[in-house]
Amino acid sequence: MKIETFKNFFLSLKHSSIRAKIVFSLAVSTIITMSLTILLSVIVTHILEDSGKSYQSNAELDLYLMQLSETEAAMETYMHYRTFESIDKYYHYEAAAERTISMMNDRPSENEFLQREYKIHNLSLTFLELGNKAIAARRANNSLDTDYYFKKCLDCYNFLRSEIIDLNMLYFTRNATNYNTMKNNTSRFISRAILSILIILVSVSILIYMSIMKITQPLKEISQVALKVADRDFDITLFNSDSRNEIGNICRAFDAMIISIREYIDTIWEKAMKENELREKEIEMRALYTDAHFKALQDQIQPHFLFNTLNTGAQLAMIEGADKTCYFLEQVADFLRYNIQHPGSDATIQEELGMLDNYIYIMKVRFGERYKFIKEIDETAFNVRMPNTILQPLVENCLKHGLKDVSENGKITIRVQKNSSDIQITISDNGKGFDPEKKDRIMSDAERGSNGIELNRHDDVNEEHVSAGLVNVVSRLQLYFHSGNVFDILPNPEGKGTMFVINIPDNTEHNF
Amino acid sequence: MKKIWSGFFKHFLTLLLISIIFISGILLILELRHFSFPEEQEEKYSQRKYCVLVLGTSANEAFITQVYEGALSVSREYNTAVILHVPNSQAENISTQTLMDYAEYLKPDCIIAYMNPNEKNLKLPKKADGSQIPIITVGNYIPDIPSLSYIGINYSQVGKIVAEEITSSLKNSGSVYIIDMNMDNNPNYSMLMNVLMNSINSEKDITVNTLTLPMNSSFSREDAIRQQIASSDGLKLIVSLSEEFTVLTSQTLTDLNIVGKTQLIGFGDSADSHRYYEKGIISTLISINTRDIGVKAMREFFEFRETGYANNYVTSKVEVLKRSSK
């Protein structure tokens, strides 16, 4: 039962509030200090009392001896001179002596001091009795009795005086011994007391320090954790405190906060990951869709039939001797063949330029010398791969848009330049330039993966078709090279007009 | 694991410190006991109902002190405090009457007083009501003193015992030297000597000689004894009838290196006498149990208090310590 009580007490102490713990510690240390002070005061008071008491007995005996002496002297004076003053003095000191006698031990005793006191008591009573008898006889003028009692009184007084002196000396000896003993005890006590007090004070200080540490250590840990959290470091160990005081509450609140922050971060991270996945899937889907759409277009055209038909026409022209017609038809067939034989994704720059040459020939036949085509090609970049059907739509864009209103001196420049970090292909014209708003729309459509095709619009079908083609080119370039900076539309630096810039990263995975 | 040990250590340290504080405090409190003097505690339990005063002159201090000790040994039995009053020194020349006066002033319940021989006209102490304080006499029997009882030595018996020891030691023949104490005026001594001589004289083969010490000699007693013994040839047995002479004779025999040759029959019950007896210097030690006198005196007084009667004459025991002769 007692063990259970102690256990409950310590548990309640453990789970008590900080204020209660501090108050308890202070109260205990104060009580201990006060108890020490009171104890030392009691001991010092006891020592002082004993010191005083030890010589009090001597002082009292001296006083009594003086009273007896005065009594005897007064009696002698009265015996001789019978004066009023002497009898008055006699009775005065006799009364004082009687008072002192009444405080003495009046029973036999084994103890030497009490025994002597008993003797003094009895002798004193006899002395006073004989003295009174002598006084009475003197008053009655009975000289015989006066002499008899006076003599016996003096005799008794001598014995009494001797006993008092002996007892006084005995007290003095005992008091001196007691004083020496007390002095030794006091000096021993002082040294032990200093040691005990030092030990108690050190122990109390250590206990108070431990209590303070116990209270402040969790606060220190909490502050360290708070600083880490402020620095966005959530990789910390939870407190998992089972204490039911304020510190415990703070620890549990902190743990809950850390857990919820971590969960929130995890949730956001998962969401971001999912959004990224979805976006990539959407881009892939769009690319696939475009590819499929293109393929569908290719399928719609029935390329093999067209190719075969063109070949047949070329043969017919050759039979009829129309060489130019035959060459023209072959170029068209080559152009179509390129598109048929590269149904997939990419081709080399050389192949792309070859297809572009076919297209340029076809355009020259169509437009004559209306447009001039300038080529500056770095042949070291020939083996670099790129998506197919990129350059031709750009040149087509220059012809149909940039140089639309140019009737003469129209120029289209095609450059392929190998730099240290990339291969730059530029197709520029000296036409009317490119509308910045359209450029932004095209670039944003390409960014979003939109093909910009609105098949039901009729007001400017050609413009819509060109935009769709450019968006398709930009999207495929961005998808192929995984970069948003692979294509740009700039003003022609040579004056007026537009320049399409393709920056192909010099990445070995796209090269042979 | 580390945390568990750390917690255990902290708890252990806390308990240890608390224990140290309590123990230090208790030790400090216990120091208080050194500041109370045992005499103060003893005084509470030392009170008695009756008071017996043992009186004697300084000449008989040794004897009366033994009587006092005997009375003290049974004081608790009778709830009595025993007071010894012996004047400080012989120079004060205090008479027995002075002691009686002292007793009257003190008014004890009973007096045990040593009586010198030939004490006369003593005024015995009275109580406040005028009745006589009961008095038991020891030392010498004074018929004129109306004592309750006399506790004493049967000197006649002692004389016989000494005669027997002499006869036994000499094996019925030889010479014995008795140290003369010059106490012929002492009736007890005279009685003892008379009985002794009468008993010895019946043994025809035993010769009794006296070693007389000169009274007014410039020599000390030790030198006187030494001179007497050294000048006497063929001493086989010496008898000393007092403790003082017994001790002096023992010292002389030792100094003269004649312990084995000369036997000594002596008196005494002090530590010195017994020591010489243990060493074999004293062959027969006769002691009067003086303490027994005090014990018997107490018993007689309290028997008187209870029954109103007491034995008028009581003798104390005589003890004989004897070494077997080789």
Side-chain angles (χ1 to χ4, degrees), chain A residues 276-414:
Chain A
N276 271 347
E277 282 176 15
L278 285 172
R279 196 170 158 202
E280 281 185 4
K281 276 185 183 171
E282 194 176 343
I283 291 171
E284 283 179 17
M285 288 291 290
R286 290 196 184 280
L288 286 171
Y289 173 76
T290 306
D291 194 42
H293 181 71
F294 189 71
K295 284 182 181 175
L297 285 174
Q298 282 181 334
D299 289 339
Q300 287 172 4
I301 295 169
Q302 295 182 354
H304 288 286
F305 171 75
L306 192 61
F307 173 69
N308 293 332
T309 304
L310 285 171
N311 278 337
T312 304
Q315 286 174 4
L316 186 62
M318 188 174 72
I319 293 168
E320 289 178 353
D323 296 333
K324 284 189 179 177
T325 305
C326 175
Y327 185 74
F328 178 79
L329 289 173
E330 284 179 346
Q331 292 297 308
V332 174
D334 287 340
F335 179 77
L336 292 174
R337 186 184 301 114
Y338 178 82
N339 284 291
I340 290 166
Q341 288 182 345
H342 294 84
S345 56
D346 59 358
T348 64
I349 289 180
Q350 186 180 19
E351 288 168 342
E352 194 63 13
L353 287 171
M355 191 274 276
L356 187 62
D357 286 342
N358 293 332
Y359 177 77
I360 291 173
Y361 176 77
I362 294 168
M363 290 297 112
K364 275 184 178 176
V365 169
R366 180 176 169 189
F367 294 105
E369 298 300 322
R370 185 174 169 186
Y371 302 112
K372 192 175 176 184
F373 294 91
I374 300 167
K375 293 196 316 185
E376 295 172 7
I377 307 299
D378 184 353
E379 293 182 2
T380 60
F382 271 1
N383 290 329
V384 176
R385 299 195 75 83
M386 61 183 288
N388 64 344
T389 324
I390 294 294
L391 301 180
Q392 178 268 322
L394 293 177
V395 172
E396 184 178 352
N397 188 274
C398 289
L399 287 170
K400 288 185 177 177
H401 178 74
L403 299 174
K404 180 182 176 183
D405 298 325
V406 175
S407 59
E408 57 183 0
N409 296 325
K411 185 170 74 174
I412 295 174
T413 308
I414 299 122

Side-chain angles (χ1 to χ4, degrees), chain A residues 42-106:
Chain A
V42 165
I43 291 171
V44 167
T45 307
H46 193 81
I47 292 171
L48 288 173
E49 275 179 6
D50 278 352
S51 299
K53 211 189 290 181
S54 65
Y55 291 101
Q56 190 182 355
S57 50
N58 288 111
E60 285 170 355
L61 273 178
D62 281 341
L63 176 65
Y64 181 59
L65 192 59
M66 185 275 293
Q67 289 167 352
L68 285 177
S69 296
E70 293 294 334
T71 307
E72 189 269 339
M75 182 178 62
E76 264 194 65
T77 307
Y78 186 75
M79 287 296 123
H80 288 127
Y81 303 114
R82 210 173 162 187
T83 60
F84 176 76
E85 290 80 12
S86 59
I87 192 67
D88 186 49
K89 189 178 173 185
Y90 170 82
Y91 283 123
H92 170 75
Y93 282 105
E94 188 223 5
E98 278 180 349
R99 282 195 294 273
T100 308
I101 290 165
S102 65
M103 291 189 289
M104 287 184 182
N105 175 43
D106 60 351

Side-chain angles (χ1 to χ4, degrees), chain A residues 22 24 28 71 73 76 92 118 138 247 348 368 374 404 408 439 486 491 506:
Chain A
I22 291 171
F24 179 76
V28 167
T71 307
E76 264 194 65
H92 170 75
Y118 167 73
R138 183 72 172 92
I247 302 292
T348 64
I374 300 167
K404 180 182 176 183
E408 57 183 0
K439 172 199 167 181
V486 70
D506 192 3

Side-chain angles (χ1 to χ4, degrees), chain A residues 43 46 50 105 108-111 115 122-123 126 152 155 159 163 174 185 188 192 199 206 210, chain B residues 14 17 20-21 24 28 31-32 34-35 37 43 46-48 50-51 76 81-83 102 105-106:
Chain A
I43 291 171
H46 193 81
D50 278 352
N105 175 43
S109 173
E110 274 189 350
N111 178 271
Q115 196 180 83
N122 284 8
L123 288 172
T126 307
K152 285 187 84 67
D155 196 27
F159 282 120
E163 289 290 343
R174 186 184 78 167
N185 288 344
R188 193 179 65 225
R192 286 182 185 178
I199 289 171
I206 292 173
M210 285 171 66
Chain B
T14 304
L17 289 170
I20 288 171
I21 290 169
S24 300
L28 260 182
E31 283 292 318
L32 271 176
H34 292 302
F35 292 97
F37 301 109
E43 284 171 9
S46 65
Q47 304 285 55
R48 296 288 176 264
Y50 302 107
C51 176
R76 285 199 182 184
V82 183
I83 299 173
Y102 175 81
Y105 301 146
L106 192 62

Side-chain angles (χ1 to χ4, degrees), chain A residues 424-443:
Chain A
Q424 191 176 67
I425 304 172
T426 58
I427 299 169
S428 58
D429 64 54
N430 60 347
K432 65 176 181 179
F434 205 95
D435 184 10
E437 283 183 14
K438 190 190 275 185
K439 172 199 167 181
D440 292 337
R441 197 169 65 243
I442 288 167
M443 296 305 285

